[in-house]
Structure formats: C-alpha cells, structure tokens
Amino acid sequence: MKPGQLIASSAVFFFLWATMAVTLATRGAVGSRTVVFALSLISLAGSVEFLRAMQQESPRWRRGIPFVAVCAALVLWTGVVAWAVPYYLADPAFLMMFLLPPAAALLLSSFPDGCRDGVRMPIIVVAVLGMVSLFLAFNAFFVPPPVPAPGVMEFVGPLYALLLMPLVGLLLILAGVACR
C-alpha cells in the first residue's frame, strides 16, 4: 500500500481550510463549490485507488466502499445538484460533516492484518469522531430548536469543521504512512 492513496483520500477533510485559502488567494474568484468539487474528486480518485490496492492485501477491503460512495455522492452533489438547486438546499458541507467520519472509520478498518496494530489508535479516534458526527446529524435534522436561539450546531458545527474534520484527514495520512 502506498501512502499517496490515503493522502489523496483525505483531501476532502480539509475542505474548509482549502476553501478559505483559495478564496483569499483568488479574492473570491473561485467559489467554495468549485473547491469542494475538486477536493471531492481528488478524494474519490484516491479512495478508489486505495480500494484497488486493498483487494490484493486485505479480505476486509469492502469496508472502504462506503467512503467511496460518500466521495462519489459529493462529486455528483457538488458537480451537478448544487448548480441546479439553490445553495441553501444543496449545501454539501452537511453531507461531508455527517457522513465522512463514520465512512473513514470503516475505511481504516479495511487495512490488512499486518498493519492493524499500527493503526488501532487512529481507528478508535476516527470512530469516536464518527459517533460525534452522527450525534450532530441527529441534532441538526431531527431535533428542532425550542426557541429561535443559537443551538448546538451554531457552536459545535464550526469547531467540528475547522478542527475535527482535519484531524480525521491527518489520521488517514498517518495511517497510510504507518502502513507502507
């Protein structure tokens, strides 16, 4: 296994930082949808290559399929749907925030037996962040705020996107480096 595949797969976890950097560098000429689409496409390509390599090395390679599916959905969502649907209805950040960490935990669990000991801690951390992600998804979609006041998502959501999503990306990179 080459770490480059997981480095490419982790690109989507840095969407907020990349969007801020590109927006500042281009002074707003390149929009956030374009950046998210490009990162999703890079992650899709990296995760497909990772799974192709895992077919030869691990019998658990199928656990990485949900991550590929989420990346493919992001590519389609940001490349097709976001252009046809108003932005507030087609915000891809919700999809990334809620589905990527649990899918990344499954991707990490598909590693071969020879390097599972080296990636045990990243798997645990990513799985815990995946549970936090699912809690945030439940809170965002199923728990209406009782009063028109800021809720959990207004405080935890930006923190999660700024710090915890890149942490998942870094753990994917470290796992790839640990298992080369």
Side-chain angles (χ1 to χ4, degrees):
M1 172 178 46
K2 298 176 185 172
Q5 299 158 341
L6 278 178
I7 291 171
S9 295
S10 70
V12 75
F13 289 100
F14 301 100
F15 75 96
L16 195 55
W17 289 101
T19 299
M20 290 188 296
V22 168
T23 302
L24 287 173
T26 63
R27 297 184 183 184
V30 177
S32 62
R33 291 182 193 176
T34 306
V35 174
V36 173
F37 175 73
L39 291 176
S40 300
L41 196 58
I42 291 168
S43 290
L44 177 63
S47 58
V48 166
E49 287 300 314
F50 176 77
L51 283 185
R52 288 183 60 201
M54 281 295 106
Q55 282 181 327
Q56 304 346 333
E57 297 180 29
S58 175
R60 293 178 298 276
W61 68 271
R62 287 182 179 88
R63 293 181 186 176
I65 292 174
F67 189 78
V68 172
V70 171
C71 290
L74 282 170
V75 168
L76 292 173
W77 191 264
T78 57
V80 178
V81 176
W83 302 108
V85 177
Y87 186 70
Y88 59 88
L89 294 177
D91 189 4
F94 281 122
L95 184 64
M96 283 189 292
M97 186 179 297
F98 299 138
L99 297 179
L100 279 172
L106 288 172
L107 181 73
L108 284 174
S109 71
S110 71
F111 275 50
D113 291 331
C115 67
R116 285 183 67 83
D117 290 334
V119 297
R120 182 157 294 145
M121 192 52 119
I123 290 173
I124 291 169
V125 172
V126 172
V128 168
L129 291 176
M131 287 187 276
V132 170
S133 175
L134 293 175
F135 168 75
L136 290 174
F138 180 78
N139 191 23
F141 292 115
F142 299 115
V143 179
V147 294
V152 172
M153 286 305 296
E154 283 76 17
F155 296 109
V156 177
L159 175 71
Y160 189 75
L162 279 170
L163 299 176
L164 297 180
M165 289 287 283
L167 176 64
V168 173
L170 286 174
L171 288 172
L172 277 174
I173 293 169
L174 290 175
V177 170
C179 285
R180 26 175 194 169

